[in-house]
Amino acid sequence: MALNPNKELKLYYSIGEVAEMLGLSETLLRYWEKEFPSITPKKVGRNVRQYSQEDIDQLRLVRHLVKDKGMKLAAARKALKNNKDGAERDAEIVARLRSIREELMQIKKELDGLV
């Protein structure tokens, strides 16, 4: 059986992988697990956390509310409880805009190199 070369198909990610992916510390991820019941990584031997894609999506949403929008944890919990769909849409829009900005910056860099 060959190893899966496509990381997109991974079922679970380690806390280190998720922390790097989201630009957050492992300590903060563990803290948010306690504060947000919707973040429930699977724990295997010696409490090693395995995050599913759903957990990662929840963490991205919390990061958007807390880091991007500047919400306190209580306000973020309330936003997720009362209007999760709206918060998800906002986070998705911000992610798309960031991606577009990165693309535009890359194009600008390439154009600057031609001059």
Side-chain angles (χ1 to χ4, degrees):
M1 183 182 344
L3 293 175
N4 182 358
N6 187 353
K7 283 195 151 208
E8 295 283 324
L9 298 177
K10 279 181 78 168
L11 292 177
Y12 294 101
Y13 297 84
S14 71
I15 193 169
E17 289 173 313
V18 175
E20 184 178 332
M21 211 183 290
L22 301 177
L24 302 169
S25 71
E26 293 179 18
T27 304
L28 185 58
L29 294 180
R30 286 189 288 271
Y31 179 68
W32 281 357
E33 281 176 37
K34 294 175 187 167
E35 295 294 319
F36 295 90
S38 60
I39 303 168
T40 55
K42 186 170 115 177
K43 293 182 182 170
V44 294
R46 291 195 201 164
N47 276 336
V48 173
R49 289 163 169 79
Q50 293 184 329
Y51 291 85
S52 67
Q53 188 58 52
E54 184 178 319
D55 293 322
I56 295 168
D57 293 341
Q58 286 296 307
L59 286 164
R60 275 195 178 104
L61 189 53
V62 170
R63 183 191 65 192
H64 168 70
L65 294 172
V66 174
K67 300 288 186 183
D68 297 339
K69 291 189 119 183
M71 289 185 173
K72 302 283 185 199
L73 293 182
R77 267 194 304 275
K78 188 174 180 180
L80 289 174
K81 183 179 179 185
N82 296 336
N83 189 12
K84 185 177 179 184
D85 291 338
E88 286 174 343
R89 274 192 308 277
D90 285 353
E92 187 177 319
I93 290 168
V94 168
R96 284 186 193 166
L97 288 172
R98 282 192 177 129
S99 175
I100 291 168
R101 182 175 191 266
E102 286 175 22
E103 261 185 73
L104 290 171
M105 295 299 284
Q106 183 62 37
I107 291 169
K108 181 186 182 308
K109 185 178 177 182
E110 289 172 12
L111 288 173
D112 286 347
L114 293 175
V115 177

